[in-house]
Amino acid sequence: MSQSGQVLWGSVVLSLCAIIHVGLLAVIIEPLETLGRWMRTRRRATRTAILTGVAFGMIVFSHTVQIWLWAYFLMWMGALVEFYDALYFSLVTYTTVGYGDLILPVEFRVFGAFGGITGILCFGISTAFLVSQVSSIMPSAIDQSFDSKPRSGDKDT
């Protein structure tokens, strides 16, 4: 495959993965809000753990789907023949571990590198999503600690 073809197809698969990832995160927002309202009477630690766990589960699911999608495209394009090899290569490339024990043929290496770019971008989105979620849970705890009245004898600094 030509370099321009690799860039084109790499961009297509990267875009599909971004749509999948952002779409699945968008889908989980409303259920998380509903679950958060339902759990409002629970202890903060329990509520935070469950809400973050559910979000984390969706994130893992999304990354897994993307890794499988990369494996499918590697096989479909003929870069790798065995499914195990395609899945393994996709996983180590997407996570940017890159052991180097399995190398794509020269005519697919640029395409394969897009798997790593996809992983970097989607892990960044996942991190931002989790930070945003935890930040939305934590302000109530921070507000409560600042709303308490100062004890007599406390001085402003």
Side-chain angles (χ1 to χ4, degrees):
M1 178 184 301
S2 68
Q3 274 194 328
S4 59
Q6 293 180 68
V7 170
L8 174 68
W9 278 106
S11 298
V12 166
V13 179
L14 186 151
S15 298
L16 285 172
C17 287
I19 290 167
I20 289 167
H21 196 64
V22 172
L24 287 173
L25 292 179
V27 164
I28 195 69
I29 291 172
E30 190 173 331
L32 282 172
E33 290 173 345
T34 302
L35 183 60
R37 284 190 299 273
W38 179 75
M39 296 189 67
R40 192 167 294 159
T41 59
R42 306 285 192 267
R43 292 182 41 216
R44 185 178 310 114
T46 303
R47 185 175 63 242
T48 302
I50 290 174
L51 290 173
T52 304
V54 170
F56 188 77
M58 179 59 90
I59 288 169
V60 169
F61 174 72
S62 177
H63 288 294
T64 302
V65 167
Q66 293 170 69
I67 290 165
W68 283 66
L69 184 66
W70 275 103
Y72 168 78
F73 270 94
L74 286 167
M75 290 185 64
W76 179 68
M77 295 181 141
L80 295 168
V81 178
E82 298 294 323
F83 176 72
Y84 174 82
D85 289 341
L87 188 60
Y88 172 78
F89 181 85
S90 297
L91 180 61
V92 298
T93 302
Y94 185 89
T95 59
T96 68
V97 172
Y99 290 124
D101 55 344
L102 182 62
I103 300 171
L104 292 179
V106 173
E107 62 270 13
F108 293 103
R109 289 186 185 161
V110 172
F111 174 75
F114 273 86
I117 296 167
T118 304
I120 291 169
L121 294 173
C122 289
F123 280 124
I125 292 169
S126 298
T127 302
F129 184 82
L130 285 174
V131 167
S132 173
Q133 179 185 353
V134 171
S135 297
S136 70
I137 296 169
M138 294 308 289
S140 62
I142 294 168
D143 290 343
Q144 288 172 3
S145 66
F146 286 118
D147 287 343
S148 61
K149 296 188 183 216
R151 297 174 292 192
S152 62
D154 284 351
K155 296 182 182 179
D156 289 339
T157 53

